[in-house]
Amino acid sequence: MTFVNRSIFGAPDTINLTGGGAMGSATFSGVKASDVRVTSTVGFDKLPSSGGGVRYGVLARSSGWSGYRGTVTVQPSGATRVLLDRLDGTASAVTTLASGAGPTVAVGSEVTVALDSVDTSAGVSLTLAVMSGSSTETVTFTDSSAAAIKAQASAGLWTYLAGTSDAATLRVKSLDVTASSSVGAVSPTPAPTTPAPAPTTSPSPSASAAPTSAPVEVPDVPTPSTGTVGSAVVGTTAYAIPAGAVFVSPSGSDSSAGTQAAPLKTLARAQELAAKGATIVLRAGSYHENVKLNANKALTIQAYPKEAVWLDGSSVVSGWAKSGSVWVKSGWTAEFDASPTFTKGAPDGEAEGWVSVNKNYPMASHPDQVWLSGVALAQVGSLAQVTAGKFYVDYAADKLYVGSDPTGKEVRASDLAMALAVQTPNYTIRGIGIRRYAVPTFEMGAVRVDKPAVATTIENVVLEQNGSIGLSFDAINGSITNVTSRGNGRMGFHANNADGLVVTRVLATNNNVEKFNTSPFSGGFKMSRSRNVEFRQSIFSDNTGTGLWMDESVFNSSIVSNEISRNTGNGLVVELSSKSLVSNNVVIDNGATGLVVMNTDRVDLWNNSIGGSRIALMFQQDSRTYGPTATGRDPRYPNDPEMTWKIGNSTARNNVIIGQTGSDRWCAALCVYDGTKARTASQMGFTFNGNVFYRATTSTPSELVRWSVDSVGGNWRTYANLASYQAGTGQDKSSLEYTGAAAYPLTSSGVVTSTVAAKAAQVAQAVPAAVSARTPGLTSGSKVLGPQR
């Protein structure tokens, strides 16, 4: 069979993406197949001038938000990455199967994307090839997981413009669906000669933003340093089962013995029966539970090898009745607290920076959730507002209303507030997924680790589509390793009083789907009032809000070898804290400032790439001061000598600092500013050297650096270029400045180009042993520029 179509979206061949967040898809309604090759050739007539770039891809076995997708992401610089994804039922549930660097693309270039999907005895064999000119990049993967998509379904295309980018124009030359064959010899698709049935489209990518009823797509993210980032796919782990394990199955019975032959039915009962130090093994399926893990037994909870285990906070809802233009379910009794604060029932804050709910999204703090055939519906505040794609819960009348016809479709609604509360030491949770819990803010997270849960380990766990926060940690000496938190209502991760926490290879992406204000908290990961913590080899990207935020008395943090990119707010914030090593990170293409150091001293920045749409790197002092009654102090240390809450005594060396592209009232690349006007920059104590500065032009904006003037009570002085900044401050004596698109110093993965790397011997400062000892990827004594991957 062969299907070809050229006029996908009305205007022949052309897709206009006119604003960040625009997305669209098209599928052939008449095509139902599994073993197919989907091929499309597209021209990039206009690339975005900044931000995370534009994505174009093809779909196989596509039905709603389910299927396989092969895409090419084109950055403003023309650098590309190819990505092979599985769509697991909703826009926020996207599993990356394989990725790689693609061919360079220029404006006017054509790219061919081809995706093969073939059923084999080993699973679904997938091959993605992307070709431009004479260059081809091919990635392969065999999906043998329980989530593999075996059904026959449609084929089509998909496109997305990153929220931090301005506009792009794509010209679709062809879209072909043929019987699957080897992708090894991809060639551009010829102009079609046979018309095909028109595909169905939804939504139009000419819109300026993604529709409010659909969660934002997850753009691709490179893997930093070494090792897989994020959780293994649910159903693919294979932890050993020790003797004496207790078994649980959805088909079991809580009156059983808990053996493999006679499993229990619930995790709660297994905790009661398990001996100290035992392992609880969960068999495949869904567990609708809310469990307090408070037996002092140091248990391990894990999935059975190669079986998909989900703790699910939702139930299937049936018994709908038509009522005018809507449908109603009577007897719906699930109710949840809607306070946006950490105090049950408390009103929202009123002071600037403490208002959680954005007035444009008034239902954000209501954790109720409903899905129709896997697509999330948007909650509204009254029955009169219910239309297609929306729902309303009438607590007083115990009724649930939806505006889309549920006939013949699966409707799920969240009816549990949280999954697990770990309340005792030495528990390990691994190899499972946790989704669709209606988490109120005061409950902290779908999984909550509380004092005195010392040395809790969370490993290879997926947390998705939960009402507020995915995982919250409030206990010491814990570890979070290879955990994915995505598509949650407010934030991926939260930690407080979590001394000694080690966060390794986690993925926090596409969080804050409810669009809470950035402050007081939302986005990827926020930590407060903790000491001696580490964040390494992780990704905090594509969140609405801040990517990674150290706030309120975090002492001695190591933030090393991470990617923090394409968040709508700031990338990385270190605020009201002290002593932080920030090294070997990619902090690029964030919607506000790349890296903010606020009221924090002893910050060492080594070998990072840093950029944001407003400011790249900012050190700022405001009027807040530390004291025993100060808001934000750690109450465990009311007179902490380590906390000054004053910027200064900090270094920045071997970093690549990417100046913003638009005019701004602050600065292009580096800003050092004391809002209290109590200290000059010289008095603060900075040592900056061996850095690389970049601007697109010398007039966007006209100054490179803004610097607190050397007179107490003054404001700041601007420097138009590196030479004037060096002469005026004595800083960055060996540093470099590049200007112009052709001189852009970074590759698509955030490391320096070979041209810039060749300058390292004369520019870079030797990496101290104290830095390399805490930084995967950096070698003591090496002279290198930017992050090393």
Side-chain angles (χ1 to χ4, degrees):
M1 61 181 178
T2 300
F3 305 92
V4 182
N5 185 76
R6 296 187 67 196
S7 300
I8 304 294
F9 293 103
D13 301 325
T14 301
I15 302 175
N16 291 309
L17 301 168
T18 57
M23 111 176 41
S25 62
T27 55
F28 288 106
S29 58
V31 176
K32 298 291 182 183
S34 55
D35 291 3
V36 294
R37 166 184 280 187
V38 187
T39 308
S40 182
T41 297
V42 61
F44 292 88
D45 291 348
K46 179 181 179 180
L47 294 179
S49 62
S50 62
V54 59
R55 294 183 68 187
Y56 182 84
V58 295
L59 305 169
R61 308 190 184 195
S62 176
S63 176
W65 285 107
S66 177
Y68 292 106
R69 183 175 69 197
T71 58
V72 57
T73 298
V74 184
Q75 302 289 337
S77 64
T80 69
R81 286 189 66 80
V82 301
L83 194 72
L84 177 60
D85 290 330
R86 186 183 64 233
L87 311 181
D88 291 323
T90 69
S92 61
V94 179
T95 300
T96 298
L97 304 176
S99 63
T104 300
V105 171
V107 171
S109 295
E110 289 187 350
V111 176
T112 297
V113 183
L115 175 62
D116 269 28
S117 63
V118 181
D119 286 326
T120 70
S121 59
V124 181
S125 175
L126 300 160
T127 305
L128 169 64
V130 175
M131 187 195 73
S132 182
S134 61
S135 299
T136 300
E137 172 67 18
T138 303
V139 296
T140 61
F141 186 85
T142 298
D143 190 357
S144 58
S145 71
I149 299 168
K150 301 292 185 66
Q152 292 189 350
S154 188
L157 63 81
W158 172 86
T159 186
Y160 171 78
L161 181 65
T164 54
S165 291
D166 47 9
T169 301
L170 283 64
R171 175 175 33 85
V172 180
K173 180 178 178 181
S174 62
L175 174 63
D176 296 304
V177 185
T178 64
S180 185
S181 58
S182 171
V183 178
V186 178
S187 59
T189 305
T193 58
T194 306
T200 57
T201 63
S202 176
S204 170
S206 61
S208 61
T212 57
S213 60
V216 176
E217 275 291 319
V218 183
D220 66 316
V221 282
T223 300
S225 194
T226 58
T228 301
V229 177
S231 174
V233 175
V234 174
T236 64
T237 58
Y239 293 107
I241 300 175
V246 177
F247 290 83
V248 186
S249 170
S251 60
S253 169
D254 277 350
S255 61
S256 296
T259 62
Q260 185 165 358
L264 300 167
K265 186 176 182 61
T266 66
L267 174 59
R269 179 59 175 157
Q271 180 186 214
E272 294 175 356
L273 293 185
K276 190 169 184 177
T279 295
I280 296 173
V281 178
L282 303 176
R283 299 304 303 262
S286 180
Y287 296 82
H288 190 62
E289 292 191 63
N290 177 346
V291 183
K292 291 184 178 179
L293 300 173
N294 52 17
N296 188 17
K297 296 180 177 180
L299 301 176
T300 294
I301 299 167
Q302 66 187 43
Y304 189 89
K306 302 292 185 177
E307 292 191 355
V309 173
W310 287 94
L311 272 61
D312 196 321
S314 71
S315 296
V316 175
V317 183
S318 58
W320 295 95
K322 184 75 180 295
S323 177
S325 62
V326 301
W327 288 262
V328 59
K329 164 65 177 178
S330 298
W332 182 256
T333 58
E335 296 185 13
F336 306 99
D337 180 74
S339 171
T341 76
F342 288 136
T343 302
K344 184 177 181 179
D348 200 355
E350 297 180 353
E352 183 179 358
W354 289 97
V355 180
S356 294
V357 177
N358 186 320
K359 64 181 180 180
N360 296 319
Y361 303 94
M363 300 302 292
S365 65
H366 294 255
D368 312 85
Q369 300 179 113
V370 176
W371 294 266
L372 182 65
S373 295
V375 176
L377 304 185
Q379 187 174 8
V380 294
S382 69
L383 178 57
Q385 295 174 288
V386 178
T387 57
K390 299 179 180 179
F391 77 95
Y392 167 65
V393 187
D394 187 339
Y395 283 179
D398 292 338
K399 292 183 177 181
L400 173 63
Y401 295 89
V402 297
S404 299
D405 188 354
T407 305
K409 301 173 183 175
E410 182 185 75
V411 181
R412 301 194 71 96
S414 297
D415 54 2
L416 293 179
M418 64 178 302
L420 301 173
V422 186
Q423 299 174 327
T424 190
N426 299 305
Y427 267 61
T428 297
I429 300 168
R430 59 191 187 183
I432 66 174
I434 296 159
R435 64 187 176 192
R436 299 193 287 228
Y437 283 83
V439 186
T441 299
F442 86 92
E443 291 278 21
M444 309 304 292
V447 176
R448 189 179 72 217
V449 181
D450 298 327
K451 293 184 282 288
V454 176
T456 297
T457 297
I458 311 292
E459 177 182 293
N460 276 319
V461 169
V462 174
L463 303 113
E464 63 184 25
Q465 297 178 298
N466 298 295
S468 182
I469 302 172
L471 171 63
S472 178
F473 232 98
D474 192 1
I476 66 172
N477 296 335
S479 67
I480 307 172
T481 304
N482 286 110
V483 173
T484 295
S485 194
R486 63 192 177 202
N488 297 295
R490 187 165 187 171
M491 197 158 61
F493 299 88
H494 162 267
N496 180 64
N497 292 339
D499 296 359
L501 180 65
V502 178
V503 178
T504 308
R505 296 188 300 278
V506 308
L507 172 61
T509 189
N510 192 33
N511 294 294
N512 192 18
V513 297
E514 295 293 342
K515 304 298 190 296
F516 284 87
N517 287 329
T518 298
S519 293
F521 64 95
S522 68
F525 198 128
K526 186 168 185 180
M527 164 164 277
S528 58
R529 304 176 193 182
S530 301
R531 303 170 83 84
N532 305 318
V533 297
E534 297 181 34
F535 293 81
R536 57 196 187 197
Q537 296 169 289
S538 296
I539 294 174
F540 308 92
S541 292
D542 305 294
N543 300 286
T544 300
T546 299
L548 177 60
W549 194 349
M550 306 289 103
D551 192 17
E552 298 186 344
S553 301
V554 177
F555 174 71
N556 193 27
S557 59
S558 294
I559 303 165
V560 299
S561 302
N562 305 285
E563 184 204 329
I564 308 169
S565 299
R566 298 184 301 276
N567 302 285
T568 64
N570 299 315
L572 171 61
V573 178
V574 184
E575 181 177 359
L576 295 172
S577 297
S578 181
K579 195 176 182 183
S580 182
L581 172 64
V582 181
S583 59
N584 207 43
N585 302 285
V586 175
V587 189
I588 290 292
D589 290 333
N590 295 287
T593 301
L595 171 54
V596 180
V597 178
M598 182 176 290
N599 293 42
T600 300
D601 68 334
R602 292 180 286 175
V603 178
D604 292 326
L605 309 179
W606 282 87
N607 292 89
N608 305 283
S609 53
I610 306 169
S613 65
R614 181 171 179 266
I615 304 168
L617 172 60
M618 183 172 187
F619 289 83
Q620 182 177 6
Q621 179 71 47
D622 64 24
S623 60
R624 290 173 292 178
T625 59
Y626 189 86
T629 62
T631 300
R633 77 194 189 287
D634 188 334
R636 300 174 300 171
Y637 304 92
N639 296 294
D640 188 358
E642 299 287 1
M643 291 292 159
T644 67
W645 286 10
K646 293 182 179 180
I647 60 169
N649 299 318
S650 298
T651 63
R653 303 194 181 196
N654 302 351
N655 304 285
V656 181
I657 304 172
I658 305 296
Q660 52 139 19
T661 57
S663 60
D664 189 272
R665 69 185 183 90
W666 288 103
C667 56
L670 170 64
C671 184
V672 175
Y673 175 60
D674 183 355
T676 69
K677 302 180 182 179
R679 293 180 299 154
T680 68
S682 296
Q683 292 169 337
M684 295 174 197
F686 290 103
T687 306
F688 298 162
N689 204 10
N691 300 299
V692 175
F693 294 87
Y694 171 81
R695 277 182 297 170
T697 74
T698 57
S699 61
T700 51
S702 58
E703 67 274 3
L704 181 73
V705 175
R706 291 201 175 191
W707 192 262
S708 285
V709 298
D710 285 334
S711 60
V712 171
N715 208 317
W716 60 73
R717 179 174 289 118
T718 65
Y719 295 101
N721 51 46
L722 179 61
S724 61
Y725 159 59
Q726 290 170 324
T729 66
Q731 299 284 348
D732 280 294
K733 291 183 178 180
S734 73
S735 298
L736 292 176
E737 179 182 6
Y738 289 95
T739 303
Y744 190 76
L746 297 177
T747 69
S748 60
S749 60
V751 301
V752 298
T753 63
S754 58
T755 300
V756 176
K759 301 287 187 180
Q762 64 210 65
V763 174
Q765 310 296 293
V767 175
V771 172
S772 64
R774 300 167 69 185
T775 308
L778 288 184
T779 303
S780 177
S782 61
K783 290 188 175 183
V784 290
L785 292 170
Q788 305 300 299
R789 293 288 188 266

